[in-house]
Structures are given as C-alpha cells and as structure tokens.
Amino acid sequence: MSGIMLVTGASRGIGAAVARLAAARGYDLCVNYVNAAGRAEEVADDARGLGVRAMTFRADTSDEAEVVAMFASIDRELGPLSAVVNNAGITGGFSRVDEVDAATLRRVMDINVVGCFFVAREAVKRMSTRHGGNGGAIVNISSGASTSGSP
C-alpha cells in the first residue's frame, strides 16, 4: 500500500514509529512537529533512506492557520493526501485534578480535541469523494492514559 500520509506529532515516540512504518510500507510523508525540528528531520531522513519522499512541517495543530498552511504545503510539495494519523497530543503536565489550572486545561483541550478536528477537517476537504478526492483514512491515536489515567 502506498500514498501520501501526514503524521502529526511525528518527531518522537509513537508518531515517529508510525511515520517510519508508513515509509517502510511505501508512503510519502509529511512529518509534523512543534518543537523538535532536528528529530523530525531525522524521521524524514530515515523515510527518504527507504526511497520515499518526506517533508517536515512545523505546525501547532491547535492553531487553525498553521494547520491550513501545513495542508497547503503538503498539497504543493507531495500532492493529494490519502492518509492522516492524528497523533499530536499532550497531558498538560503531572498534577492532581484538583490542582489543574484553567490555562493548562484549555491548552490540553485545544491540542487534543480542537487540533484533532482542525486536522481532520482539512484532510476531509482533500480526501472525501464529496470534495473530489479519492477517499482515504484518518486514524486518531489516543494515549493509554485515556483509559488508565495518569498522575
């Protein structure tokens, strides 16, 4: 299987592993990151070493304008998107529920929920047959902390 895939939060951890596996399966990639440009470039270099095209793009998925710019860049540099893995997410740090401040809670929701929808919306605009696309897949990844909790 091959096509063009965007993986958000792909500079490390699960996102990097997903991007590397996708490249091994023949997908051209957009490796999204926020802070770790060097690590994102390493993931892209690994993908290129497998013979696929790979680009990196710095975008905070909670920022609508940055998400729109990322998708426009993918359109220009790689072509029609066929798959998205929504992996970007944060825990907001380690604290008890009764100690979480409003700013932290808003940031967590903005990245983990709102950002996920921004990415999915832009993907649907490109992949949906209703919008002239060829179809595709969107995979949303959640942390194990969603079922087991975290500190």
Side-chain angles (χ1 to χ4, degrees):
M1 179 152 246
S2 62
I4 298 170
M5 181 183 292
L6 162 65
V7 182
T8 66
S11 63
R12 63 185 182 88
I14 293 169
V18 167
R20 287 181 171 110
L21 180 59
R25 298 279 162 82
Y27 280 91
D28 293 328
L29 292 173
C30 177
V31 177
N32 163 253
Y33 69 96
V34 173
N35 297 315
R39 287 192 279 185
E41 196 54 49
E42 288 174 15
V43 173
D45 284 343
D46 290 348
R48 291 180 198 111
L50 295 170
V52 300
R53 297 177 302 153
M55 63 179 279
T56 62
F57 198 94
R58 190 223 166 273
D60 178 338
T61 58
S62 71
D63 184 310
E64 183 177 19
E66 290 184 20
V67 170
V68 169
M70 176 172 60
F71 274 85
S73 184
I74 294 167
D75 293 342
R76 282 190 311 274
E77 294 186 37
L78 296 176
L81 196 63
S82 54
V84 170
V85 176
N86 249 327
N87 172 70
I90 63 170
T91 61
F94 298 104
S95 67
R96 293 173 41 91
V97 169
D98 56 347
E99 297 170 352
V100 176
D101 61 83
T104 299
L105 183 57
R106 283 188 181 97
R107 183 73 180 140
V108 168
M109 295 302 287
D110 282 349
I111 292 172
N112 297 356
V113 179
V114 177
C116 184
F117 274 89
F118 287 156
V119 171
R121 180 194 68 199
E122 292 305 309
V124 167
K125 286 180 181 179
R126 289 154 174 84
M127 295 188 307
S128 171
T129 56
R130 183 177 184 182
H131 295 284
N134 295 320
I138 299 172
V139 176
N140 298 315
I141 295 179
S142 177
S143 167
S146 68
T147 57
S148 64
S150 70

